[in-house]
Each structure stands twice: as C-alpha cells, then as structure tokens.
Amino acid sequence: MGRGDGYVDGAAGELRRWVREAGGCLVVDGAMGTELEAHGADLQDELWSARCLVSAPHLIRKVHLDYLEAGANIITTASYQATLQGFQSRSLSREQSEALLRRSVEIAQEARAIFLEGRSKGPYSARENETRSTERRRPVLVAASVGSYGAYLADGSEYTGDYGRSVTKEWLKKFHRRRLQVLAEAGPDLIAFETIPNKLEAQAYCELLEENDIRIPAWFSFTSKDGATAASGDPITDCAAVADSCRRVAAVGVNCTAPRLIHGLILSITKVTSKPVVVYPNTGETYVAETKEWVDSTGGRASATDFVSCVGKWRQAGPALVGGCCRTSPATVRAIARALREADAAATDIDDYDDFPAVAVL
Ligand SMILES: [Zn+2]
C-alpha cells in the first residue's frame, strides 16, 4: 500500500517513531566490510564488500545476524561499494548487476526474518515478559547502504572529497540514479547515504530523492577528519544544512570518523538541524587507499572500551542513532547497546529525582 502524499514531510517523523519504540535511541550495526574480512573474506578488490554479494552471500547474512544478536536495531546492507558501473566493469550484465543490488537488501531481510523467528513473531515482537533491555530493541530495520562516488572509485576519495572539476552535481546524479531506484524498489526500511565527503554529493542525493519520489526515510552521513569540516573541507554545518533542507531526509550525521571527533560534531550538527542525528564512528584509524589498509594515525586506535566509554557522553548531546563503522564488530555493538541502556537509565533516575518537590524538609 502506498503512503499518502503527506508522508514526505514526515520522513523524520517516521524515524522518530522507531526511535521512541526503541526507548530513545536506535542501535545501528557495526562494520560490514571489515567484519567480512575478519571472517576471512578477501576484499582486496575494487568491489570491496560488494564482492561477497557474488562470492559469499551466506557470510553477509551471518554478519547481519551477528549484529542483530548483539543488539542492533538497524542492519546496513552490503551495497556500500555495489554499483551498476562497478559490476558492469566486471562483465556482469545490467540485469545481473541490478539483481545483485536487490540481493543485498534481500540478504538483510532474510537475516531479519531468521532473527525474529528465533525470538518471536512479526517485525515487532511482542513476547510476554520482555525485559526493558529487549523492549528497546524491538524495531528491527534494514537500511540500504549507498556509498559515495568516492567509494566506487576505490581510491579512498570518500575521505578526501576530491572528485576533480569534471564531476558535477548532474554527473553525480546520473551516477547514482538507477542504483538508488533499484535499492528503493527492493523495499528497505531506510536508505543510508554513507561516508559523504562533500556538500555537492549531498545536494545530488537530495535532488535524486525528490525527483524519483523516494518515500523511504533516508539518512545522510558525512565523514570528517578534523571535527569541523567534511572530508572535502566543506564546513560540516553547511553539509548538515543541505540535509536539513531536504524533506525526505530523516536523519543527519557522521560515520567512519574518529571517535574523538564525534561529540563536537554532534554539537555542530544540532546547531543547524532539528532532525534526528546519526553517528557511527570507526575505531579511529586512517584508511590508506594505496595499500587498502587501516593504519594508526594521530588519534590511535580506539579499543572497544574507549569507544564505548564515549557513548554516554555522546548520548547526552542527543543523537538518536548510534553504531559503529569500519573495524568495529558485534562486540562493539553489544557494548554500545549496553552503554546506551545505562546512559538512559541514569537519565531516567535523574528525571525521577526531579519529580520530587524541590523542598522536602520535614
Ligand atoms: Zn567505515
């Protein structure tokens, strides 16, 4: 059944409803690509994680299931680096390429079905005697990943935003259009535009969502290396303002960014938008495109504990979706889910305390 025309004004509203059902914050999964590698997949390839759509779909399903078991509300498809252009350069036909994109969504949907069947029935389980901790996990959603043009180039330019002068907004729209249509038609609950390095690509996405009448709530997530600008140098506030102006965008935030930059970025983003904020940092290392390796940079590698010890502080700044990006794992997601529960329980205790009369002297 189609949604009414009023829907588009409510993309953020729809997401907020899920956030409320989850108890205040949705847990996003962790890395797909690097987690596949941790399971032994060889992704030294321009298709990166998308290679497993062809060679190891069962492994992708396993990673999704691991994240669901760890407490994720949202699993993100393995389509980050899956593009029609990339598949076709490997001699796949247009039909085969589109089928692989659809498959990325189906694999996540299958994982959700397996997970929910194990727990209960239906997309919103209503098991009796649910504890508060499982209650907050109830929405189980599939986000279709759309990696930036830089991800397709496979030269690390999603971390520089340097696409060269010949890449215009229209050019980016042409690059992404059919891919977006195919992913949307596969019926995900959300569309995750990830690792956006510049304002131009955000503008292109905005126009594509509108022109193609995509009625699936989308989030725009940028990368930052300095906590003030997106990878290209465009101020993060300008980038977030583009997302804010797009009525089809349900949430705005940052991913694949060092944990130490996250708190400041949340504060900057909330200055220019009241849409829900999404953050899913990596572990703080830097990606070197030439060697396709992650190396320790100035910030060093945040261990799961360091990362997670920040979650309470981030939560106070108000993000509605929190998860992990490259090099994070199901263990990270489990710890994030626990940290969010603890942060919210502490906040509730304070609220309860505030409910008492200010003067209670006998
Ligand atoms: Zn990442």
Side-chain angles (χ1 to χ4, degrees), residues 169 172-173 199-209:
K169 184 174 68 183
L172 288 171
K173 283 167 68 177
K199 203 170 130 183
L200 187 71
E201 199 155 24
Q203 284 164 333
Y205 289 146
C206 229
E207 291 180 18
L208 277 181
L209 287 170

Side-chain angles (χ1 to χ4, degrees), residues 275-296:
K275 289 185 195 277
V277 172
V278 52
V279 292
Y280 49 116
N282 58 27
T283 51
E285 292 144 306
T286 302
Y287 184 67
V288 181
E290 292 76 29
T291 54
K292 294 190 166 44
E293 279 175 349
W294 294 85
V295 299
D296 207 345

